[in-house]
Amino acid sequence: MKIEKNSVVELDYKLMDLEGNVWESSKEGGPWLYLHGHGEVMPGLEAKLTGAAIGQKVKVELGPEEAYGPYEDDLKTEVPREAFADVENLNEGMRLAAESSDGVHAVMVREVRDDVVIIDANHPLAGKAVKVEVKVLSVRSATEEEVAHGHVHKDGACGH
Ligand SMILES: [Zn+2]
């Protein structure tokens, strides 16, 4: 069976930057299950998967606009040193969890200055092209209910 609109597809995947560093893969998070043709995966990848069969491998390179979006300068902010309990231990490139009014975000320390610390809330892959490598593990037709809902029902159950 080949992948077409309304196929339920299971993929092994690996997300890399162009230097080959792996950022995410099914080794950690398990296979990726999605409903084909409903915009659940990046468009460039979805287009290449159309017509693919079980066992087939697909590689795509995606520009920033198709992956994590452009780098936004607005997401870089200056925070007074006093805001950090352990400012002496901060290093450039260190990742921190920052709490704000709308939850906890992963941020990166860009620069530690005498008076302020520059914090960057952009996704580490923002503004970068990425490579995605996938292997098709299984393909089946979606049920009518899955098509109506626009997502996969894992083990027959609607998670929404
Ligand atoms: Zn559902």
Side-chain angles (χ1 to χ4, degrees):
M1 182 173 182
K2 289 188 173 172
I3 298 173
E4 56 185 24
K5 187 168 165 71
N6 297 330
S7 293
V8 172
V9 183
E10 194 180 15
L11 299 173
D12 244 348
Y13 73 96
K14 212 155 67 166
L15 170 74
M16 290 168 290
D17 58 29
L18 296 191
E19 286 80 53
N21 302 305
V22 178
W23 284 82
E24 243 185 83
S25 83
S26 40
K27 275 205 184 105
E28 292 93 52
W32 191 358
L33 197 65
Y34 80 97
L35 181 61
H36 193 79
H38 291 254
E40 279 187 66
V41 300
M42 299 107 156
L45 177 61
E46 191 160 61
K48 274 216 167 180
L49 279 165
T50 302
I54 293 171
Q56 199 165 325
K57 290 179 182 172
V58 172
K59 286 184 194 182
V60 281
E61 202 175 296
L62 304 168
E65 65 288 344
E66 269 207 285
Y68 289 90
Y71 185 87
E72 290 177 50
D73 276 325
D74 293 359
L75 294 178
K76 241 167 47 170
T77 48
E78 294 187 355
V79 179
R81 281 174 72 101
E82 302 85 72
F84 299 90
D86 53 351
V87 70
E88 303 305 325
N89 296 321
L90 292 182
N91 294 310
E92 281 164 36
M94 193 182 250
R95 308 259 204 109
L96 302 172
E99 236 174 286
S100 72
S101 51
D102 56 342
V104 178
H105 302 272
V107 299
M108 192 197 273
V109 176
R110 278 280 167 209
E111 219 184 308
V112 182
R113 293 189 190 157
D114 290 342
D115 49 344
V116 293
V117 178
I118 313 288
I119 291 295
D120 190 346
N122 280 288
H123 188 280
L125 289 170
K128 292 186 180 173
V130 297
K131 277 194 291 196
V132 184
E133 282 183 22
V134 303
K135 185 180 170 193
V136 181
L137 296 178
S138 73
V139 184
R140 66 167 169 86
S141 296
T143 63
E144 270 177 42
E145 201 184 35
E146 285 174 321
V147 173
H149 288 199
H151 57 238
V152 175
H153 289 175
K154 209 174 176 186
D155 305 319
C158 180
H160 297 256

Short mmCIF file of all heavy atoms in Angstrom, two decimals, residues 4 13 23 25 28 32 58 66 72 76 84 100 102-103 112 124 131 134 137 145 148 151 153 155:
data_model
loop_
_atom_site.label_atom_id
_atom_site.label_comp_id
_atom_site.label_asym_id
_atom_site.label_seq_id
_atom_site.Cartn_x
_atom_site.Cartn_y
_atom_site.Cartn_z
N GLU A 4 -1.22 7.85 0.44
CA GLU A 4 -2.07 8.78 -0.30
C GLU A 4 -2.87 9.59 0.72
O GLU A 4 -2.73 9.36 1.93
CB GLU A 4 -3.02 8.00 -1.23
CG GLU A 4 -3.84 6.99 -0.47
CD GLU A 4 -4.71 6.10 -1.36
OE1 GLU A 4 -4.38 5.94 -2.54
OE2 GLU A 4 -5.71 5.59 -0.84
N TYR A 13 11.92 8.60 12.33
CA TYR A 13 12.40 9.88 11.83
C TYR A 13 13.62 10.38 12.58
O TYR A 13 13.90 9.96 13.69
CB TYR A 13 11.28 10.94 11.91
CG TYR A 13 11.00 11.39 13.33
CD1 TYR A 13 11.59 12.55 13.84
CD2 TYR A 13 10.19 10.64 14.15
CE1 TYR A 13 11.36 12.94 15.15
CE2 TYR A 13 9.95 11.03 15.46
CZ TYR A 13 10.54 12.18 15.95
OH TYR A 13 10.32 12.57 17.24
N TRP A 23 18.76 16.44 16.36
CA TRP A 23 18.02 17.22 17.34
C TRP A 23 16.86 16.45 17.94
O TRP A 23 16.44 16.68 19.06
CB TRP A 23 17.51 18.52 16.71
CG TRP A 23 18.59 19.51 16.55
CD1 TRP A 23 19.50 19.56 15.53
CD2 TRP A 23 18.93 20.58 17.44
NE1 TRP A 23 20.38 20.59 15.74
CE2 TRP A 23 20.04 21.23 16.89
CE3 TRP A 23 18.38 21.03 18.64
CZ2 TRP A 23 20.64 22.32 17.52
CZ3 TRP A 23 18.97 22.12 19.26
CH2 TRP A 23 20.08 22.75 18.70
N SER A 25 14.68 12.44 17.36
CA SER A 25 14.52 11.24 16.55
C SER A 25 13.56 10.28 17.22
O SER A 25 13.25 10.41 18.40
CB SER A 25 15.87 10.55 16.32
OG SER A 25 16.19 9.75 17.42
N GLU A 28 14.26 8.41 20.62
CA GLU A 28 13.86 8.93 21.92
C GLU A 28 12.34 8.97 22.07
O GLU A 28 11.79 8.52 23.07
CB GLU A 28 14.38 10.36 22.14
CG GLU A 28 15.87 10.48 22.28
CD GLU A 28 16.56 10.77 20.96
OE1 GLU A 28 16.14 11.72 20.27
OE2 GLU A 28 17.48 10.03 20.59
N TRP A 32 6.61 8.30 14.64
CA TRP A 32 5.75 9.45 14.39
C TRP A 32 4.53 8.93 13.63
O TRP A 32 4.66 8.31 12.58
CB TRP A 32 6.56 10.39 13.53
CG TRP A 32 6.06 11.75 13.32
CD1 TRP A 32 4.90 12.30 13.77
CD2 TRP A 32 6.74 12.78 12.59
NE1 TRP A 32 4.83 13.61 13.37
CE2 TRP A 32 5.93 13.92 12.64
CE3 TRP A 32 7.95 12.83 11.89
CZ2 TRP A 32 6.30 15.11 12.00
CZ3 TRP A 32 8.30 14.00 11.26
CH2 TRP A 32 7.49 15.13 11.32
N VAL A 58 12.84 8.48 2.92
CA VAL A 58 12.71 9.78 2.27
C VAL A 58 13.57 10.78 3.03
O VAL A 58 13.57 10.80 4.25
CB VAL A 58 11.23 10.25 2.26
CG1 VAL A 58 11.11 11.67 1.76
CG2 VAL A 58 10.37 9.31 1.41
N GLU A 66 9.99 26.59 6.45
CA GLU A 66 9.23 25.34 6.49
C GLU A 66 9.49 24.56 7.76
O GLU A 66 8.83 23.58 8.05
CB GLU A 66 9.62 24.46 5.29
CG GLU A 66 8.75 24.69 4.09
CD GLU A 66 8.71 23.43 3.24
OE1 GLU A 66 9.70 23.15 2.56
OE2 GLU A 66 7.68 22.74 3.31
N GLU A 72 13.89 35.58 15.27
CA GLU A 72 13.29 36.87 15.62
C GLU A 72 14.10 37.60 16.68
O GLU A 72 14.25 37.13 17.80
CB GLU A 72 11.86 36.64 16.14
CG GLU A 72 10.92 36.20 15.03
CD GLU A 72 9.52 35.92 15.56
OE1 GLU A 72 8.99 36.78 16.27
OE2 GLU A 72 9.01 34.84 15.27
N LYS A 76 15.04 38.21 21.80
CA LYS A 76 16.27 38.36 22.58
C LYS A 76 16.03 39.48 23.58
O LYS A 76 15.66 40.57 23.20
CB LYS A 76 17.43 38.73 21.64
CG LYS A 76 18.51 37.71 21.66
CD LYS A 76 19.53 37.84 20.57
CE LYS A 76 20.10 39.20 20.32
NZ LYS A 76 21.24 39.13 19.39
N PHE A 84 19.07 36.52 38.52
CA PHE A 84 19.57 35.14 38.56
C PHE A 84 20.22 34.85 39.91
O PHE A 84 21.09 35.61 40.36
CB PHE A 84 20.60 34.91 37.46
CG PHE A 84 20.04 35.11 36.09
CD1 PHE A 84 20.08 36.36 35.49
CD2 PHE A 84 19.45 34.07 35.41
CE1 PHE A 84 19.54 36.56 34.23
CE2 PHE A 84 18.91 34.26 34.14
CZ PHE A 84 18.96 35.51 33.56
N SER A 100 7.44 32.59 32.79
CA SER A 100 6.81 33.88 32.56
C SER A 100 5.31 33.71 32.80
O SER A 100 4.86 32.63 33.17
CB SER A 100 7.08 34.37 31.13
OG SER A 100 6.35 33.61 30.21
N ASP A 102 2.94 33.27 30.89
CA ASP A 102 2.26 32.24 30.10
C ASP A 102 2.98 30.90 30.10
O ASP A 102 2.94 30.17 29.12
CB ASP A 102 1.96 32.74 28.67
CG ASP A 102 3.23 33.22 27.97
OD1 ASP A 102 4.24 33.47 28.66
OD2 ASP A 102 3.21 33.34 26.73
N GLY A 103 3.66 30.59 31.19
CA GLY A 103 4.23 29.25 31.32
C GLY A 103 5.75 29.23 31.31
O GLY A 103 6.40 30.26 31.40
N VAL A 112 26.75 36.99 28.82
CA VAL A 112 26.74 37.43 30.21
C VAL A 112 27.59 38.69 30.29
O VAL A 112 28.80 38.66 30.05
CB VAL A 112 27.31 36.34 31.15
CG1 VAL A 112 27.24 36.79 32.61
CG2 VAL A 112 26.55 35.03 30.97
N PRO A 124 16.27 26.91 19.14
CA PRO A 124 17.67 26.82 18.69
C PRO A 124 17.81 26.63 17.18
O PRO A 124 18.85 26.94 16.61
CB PRO A 124 18.21 25.59 19.43
CG PRO A 124 17.23 25.28 20.49
CD PRO A 124 15.93 25.95 20.18
N LYS A 131 17.48 19.10 8.05
CA LYS A 131 17.32 17.90 7.23
C LYS A 131 16.44 16.93 8.00
O LYS A 131 16.62 16.75 9.20
CB LYS A 131 18.67 17.22 7.02
CG LYS A 131 19.49 17.80 5.91
CD LYS A 131 20.65 16.88 5.55
CE LYS A 131 21.69 16.82 6.64
NZ LYS A 131 22.97 16.24 6.21
N VAL A 134 13.30 10.15 7.06
CA VAL A 134 12.27 9.27 7.60
C VAL A 134 12.28 7.93 6.88
O VAL A 134 12.79 7.81 5.77
CB VAL A 134 10.85 9.90 7.47
CG1 VAL A 134 10.79 11.26 8.16
CG2 VAL A 134 10.41 10.02 6.02
N LEU A 137 7.25 3.03 8.23
CA LEU A 137 7.13 1.77 8.97
C LEU A 137 5.82 1.06 8.68
O LEU A 137 5.76 -0.16 8.60
CB LEU A 137 7.22 2.04 10.47
CG LEU A 137 8.53 2.61 11.01
CD1 LEU A 137 8.42 2.86 12.50
CD2 LEU A 137 9.69 1.67 10.72
N GLU A 145 -14.05 7.92 10.79
CA GLU A 145 -14.02 8.80 11.96
C GLU A 145 -12.71 9.61 12.02
O GLU A 145 -12.72 10.80 12.31
CB GLU A 145 -14.17 7.95 13.23
CG GLU A 145 -14.66 8.76 14.42
CD GLU A 145 -14.73 7.93 15.70
OE1 GLU A 145 -13.87 7.03 15.89
OE2 GLU A 145 -15.63 8.19 16.50
N ALA A 148 -12.86 12.34 9.46
CA ALA A 148 -13.77 13.39 9.91
C ALA A 148 -13.10 14.27 10.98
O ALA A 148 -13.28 15.47 11.01
CB ALA A 148 -15.06 12.78 10.46
N HIS A 151 -7.39 13.58 12.37
CA HIS A 151 -6.21 13.09 13.07
C HIS A 151 -6.33 11.58 13.31
O HIS A 151 -7.39 11.00 13.13
CB HIS A 151 -5.99 13.84 14.39
CG HIS A 151 -7.17 13.76 15.32
ND1 HIS A 151 -7.82 14.88 15.78
CD2 HIS A 151 -7.83 12.71 15.86
CE1 HIS A 151 -8.82 14.51 16.56
NE2 HIS A 151 -8.85 13.21 16.63
N HIS A 153 -6.48 8.12 15.35
CA HIS A 153 -6.95 7.58 16.62
C HIS A 153 -6.06 6.41 16.99
O HIS A 153 -6.17 5.33 16.42
CB HIS A 153 -8.41 7.13 16.53
CG HIS A 153 -9.35 8.28 16.43
ND1 HIS A 153 -10.69 8.14 16.22
CD2 HIS A 153 -9.13 9.62 16.53
CE1 HIS A 153 -11.25 9.34 16.19
NE2 HIS A 153 -10.32 10.24 16.37
N ASP A 155 -4.79 3.26 18.69
CA ASP A 155 -5.50 2.13 19.29
C ASP A 155 -7.01 2.36 19.29
O ASP A 155 -7.71 1.98 20.23
CB ASP A 155 -5.01 1.86 20.72
CG ASP A 155 -3.49 1.65 20.77
OD1 ASP A 155 -2.97 0.97 19.87
OD2 ASP A 155 -2.86 2.18 21.70
#
